[in-house]
Amino acid sequence: MAGGDVLERLGVSAVPGEVPELRVWSANAKTLELVLFDDADPHWMTSVSPLTRGEGDVWSVRSPALTPGRRYTVRASGPSEAKDTFNSASLLLDPYARGVVRLGPGNWRSAVVDDSFDWGGVDKPAVPLDRSVIYEAHVRGFSKTNKRVPAALRGSYAGLGHEGSIDYLKDLGVTAVELLPVHAFGSEMRLVGQGLSNYWGYNSFAFFAPHPGYASRAAQQAGPSGVLREFKQMVKSLHEAGIEVILDVVYNHTAEEGIGGPRYSFRGIDNASYYRQTDSGQYIDTTGCGNSLDFGHAVPQRLVIDSIRYWANELQVDGFRFDLAAALGRDERVHFDPQHPLLTALRDDPALQGVKLIAEPWDVGMGGWQTGNFPDGWSEWNDGYRGTVRDFWLSDIAAMRHWQHPPAGIGRLSGAISGSADVFHTDRGPLASVNFVTAHDGFTLADLTAYNTKHNLGNGEQNRDGTSDNRSFNFGVEGDTRDPRVLADRRRAMRNMTGTLLLSAGIPMITAGDEYGRTQRGNNNAYCHDSDLTWVSWLRSDWQEELREVTRTLLRIRRENPALRPKRYAVLDQSIPHATERSWFSAEGHPMADHDWHSPSNRTVQFVASSTPDDEPANTVLVVVHGAEHEHSVVLPGHEGISGYELLWTSADDAASGTRLEVGERYSLDGPALAVFRAS
């Protein structure tokens, strides 16, 4: 990447024995000034000092006042060309500020922080990808109502790091929490005008500072250094429990929105360099959020690299999920390049080895859908997997009820369960795929089974927002019902989708609350609701506890059976270490024929999966899938070295396990359902 050493130590740095220094990059500014504020009154300017332009357009100034706790901003002046938006009166955040302080709506100060912290020798858990199970959660929403967490800590970094939260995560069996954005963020002007706020946080303006609103009151009162310490303690506590921390990061755009939007930082320091624009100064928006950072330019690339290094090394974060990551791979022509220098630098940087890199592999620009096209070393959210699983267990069932015949057979689901080899290059293997059925955006697992259409009026956009491509099925009643048959069908469908997710090759991701059937009452875009609509509930009915137990059981089965979590794709007639060799069988126990794969009427398949690990005992399982609403029996298939099967779990009867069946015996499934056996 361009820039080299001249771009090192941007922001405030203090070398022992030297006066602290602020370094800010701007190619187009004519002047830059450091503005310092009073300790007691952050509105009161105490001094203004000019920065001096140096090599590589890095401006700098030294000040003995730049010590922990100091509030400061930058002011910039410059030309009035088409791409410039300089305003010498604007008080701008340092792009590399490690802490921020909110004075009011859209009014922030940078802050110097004390970054000292005792990690106590606690290392990162370094969970291998094949053993990883991701739990996508919101810092505030996860512990907000958890009474095992002290009231003063609920909904905070400390609340997530409390034993009342950690014990739950460990008991469930996940290996990582993937946190919705924790970079400091603001709410869009439209939401503020409607009396709403951005709850999810996909609107960052400070890429080095933890969001202060997620810290406990005590940490906030201690200032930005207290916020930073609380974040680090959360990470340390999770690591002590063996749980990794993955951050959802939003570098594709900033909270400055379109031209005329807020001026937090980048727009005032060098709009022409940071944002994609036409020659006339019109923003090129590939994110749908008003602006896009220009990753055809070396400095925005370096900003991301430095930010990721900081969080991964100084704050010990284990991995990152990059929101709208296709935007990060667009070159100076706005074309996506799988070998974009930013994507490869994140992978190859010696300071980031072992860090998990996960792409949301699309944006809203031309050519924005790039699932399967990221470089080796990256994993990707697999939206095709999501659609396939929903179709098989929901949309297809709805179609069969209406048309009396299925629209599709078993082929697509079989490919998804096997690791989506049709999507990802052979060399990347199944761990390139992050499998999910739900995420923060879209219906929850329970709502997929309860609503045919979205119900988003509470978002203030006349139900226009949120996707209409939900592939859901309400099983005959929209929303709440007491009909026992409808409820039984819905809960069966939740078990089927959870079972499919946790029995599939790839990296599974569970959305917080799906393990017990959390509802958002049909809202599939609840980004602006900080309420019990979006918080995890800790008061649960019996059926919800039963569903949570299903999730725990399936996660244990996944841990204990390496055949379910291969690292590589198998190759026909070759022995590939760390792969899973699958043999596919019809309901009658015969090898699958071409017509079995392609017939829409065939909704039943069996596969024997045998692992070839180098680092754990060999293992073989049998998975049976039956995707129709009637009882169906299968002949358990014969396979080399197998004499029988022990039932581990079936979605048709959560309590059924331990049954021993011989090869050639018939096993009956009351569908739609799936079952998993261990072979012996």
Side-chain angles (χ1 to χ4, degrees), residues 440-464:
H440 61 275
D441 53 347
F443 279 147
T444 67
L445 185 71
D447 287 355
L448 281 173
T449 72
Y451 296 92
N452 283 349
T453 58
K454 62 187 179 183
H455 296 261
N456 295 356
L457 286 174
N459 299 353
E461 298 186 50
Q462 291 77 50
N463 211 42
R464 294 189 303 267

Side-chain angles (χ1 to χ4, degrees), residues 352-400:
L352 298 176
Q353 294 310 293
V355 171
K356 293 176 170 66
L357 303 175
I358 301 171
E360 182 184 39
W362 53 79
D363 65 13
V364 302
M366 291 292 291
W369 188 78
Q370 294 294 335
T371 305
N373 293 331
F374 275 68
D376 189 21
W378 284 75
S379 298
E380 304 175 36
W381 273 26
N382 188 345
D383 55 321
Y385 178 95
R386 172 183 58 187
T388 296
V389 174
R390 291 185 182 189
D391 281 344
F392 189 83
W393 295 115
L394 297 172
S395 304
D396 291 357
I397 300 297
M400 284 188 281

